């Protein structure tokens, strides 16, 4: 069982709160350059396994590529993939691998998708108040962040292991 989501990362900065001594107001750089890349991730809240890719767009072709990659990383398993109702998830042009079944989460309910917590972690820990010189620098930071999470299943499980998922799974087995 995996939950999938994608997020946009780019050169438009998103100023975040930061600590400063009382009476001091920190200066934070900001920029308004509209260049983006997209991170795709699928997480298993039960064991913290995470698969991710960085792709240039969000559409049915890229989504099909991502699903094929996840399926190839787990060839001996049948993956029940939970997704939101994005247009590229529900199109007839989506190619779903044979060892995967898709289940859609309720519309307009990102709080039901534990993969959303991956993006919060990445933005908070790896992208706070940074200005990037180019899109390659964004992608380098994103590669480092996603690789760090993929190599830390315990953290991923703690971020995504919602009680309603873990308890229902344990009761079903």
């Amino acid at each position: 069982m995996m939950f999938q989501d994608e997020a946009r990362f780019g050169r438009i900065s998103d100023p975040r709160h930061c600590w400063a001594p009382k009476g001091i107001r920190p200066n934070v750089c900001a920029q308004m350059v509209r260049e983006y890349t997209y991170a795709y991730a699928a997480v298993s809240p039960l064991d913290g396994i995470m698969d991710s890719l960085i792709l240039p767009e969000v559409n049915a072709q890229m989504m099909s590529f991502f699903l094929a990659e996840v399926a190839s990383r787990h060839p001996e398993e049948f993956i029940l993939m939970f997704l939101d109702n994005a247009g590229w998830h529900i199109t007839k042009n989506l190619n779903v691998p044979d060892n995967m079944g898709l289940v859609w989460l309720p519309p307009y309910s990102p709080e039901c998708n534990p993969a959303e917590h991956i993006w919060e972690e990445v933005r908070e820990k790896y992208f706070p108040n940074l200005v990037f010189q180019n899109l390659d620098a964004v992608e380098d930071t994103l590669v480092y962040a996603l690789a760090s999470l993929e190599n830390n299943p315990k953290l991923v499980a703690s971020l995504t292991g919602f009680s309603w998922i873990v308890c229902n799974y344990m009761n079903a087995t």
Side-chain angles (χ1 to χ4, degrees):
M1 177 170 51
M2 297 185 93
F3 290 78
Q4 187 279 332
D5 197 33
E6 53 281 311
R8 180 174 68 180
F9 291 86
R11 293 185 59 202
I12 284 189
S13 51
D14 183 13
R16 303 244 175 213
H17 292 284
C18 60
W19 182 89
K22 187 173 179 160
I24 294 179
R25 187 174 185 158
N27 289 328
V28 175
C29 295
Q31 65 183 8
M32 296 294 291
V33 179
R34 296 190 192 307
E35 289 183 309
Y36 305 103
T37 193
Y38 297 87
Y40 289 66
V43 297
S44 172
L46 301 171
D47 56 12
I49 298 298
M50 179 176 134
D51 298 321
S52 64
L53 282 179
I54 299 169
L55 298 169
E57 301 172 340
V58 286
N59 58 36
Q61 180 184 5
M62 295 292 115
M63 186 64 189
S64 296
F65 182 77
F66 177 71
L67 294 177
E69 176 64 22
V70 172
S72 72
R73 293 184 189 186
H74 308 279
E76 302 300 318
E77 300 176 32
F78 183 82
I79 301 166
L80 191 58
M81 184 72 75
F82 290 82
L83 315 112
D84 59 24
N85 285 271
W88 51 89
H89 296 167
I90 57 176
T91 180
K92 293 182 186 342
N93 297 334
L94 189 64
N95 296 321
V96 181
D98 292 336
N99 67 332
M100 187 177 292
L102 303 183
V103 178
W104 287 271
L105 294 166
Y108 309 107
S109 55
E111 67 278 0
C112 291
N113 192 344
E116 295 280 355
H117 286 261
I118 296 300
W119 311 133
E120 291 174 12
E121 179 77 4
V122 169
R123 286 189 171 100
E124 182 180 317
K125 299 284 177 17
Y126 300 94
F127 283 83
N129 299 326
L130 296 177
V131 173
F132 296 96
Q133 295 301 313
N134 53 47
L135 197 55
D136 288 340
V138 173
E139 289 178 357
D140 290 345
T141 302
L142 196 50
V143 165
Y144 178 73
L146 295 173
S148 296
L149 287 169
E150 282 190 28
N151 291 322
N152 192 344
K154 191 172 183 178
L155 175 60
V156 171
S158 74
L159 292 170
T160 62
F162 294 4
S163 61
W164 64 267
I165 297 170
V166 175
C167 290
N168 284 333
Y169 179 80
M170 295 304 178
N171 289 335
T173 54

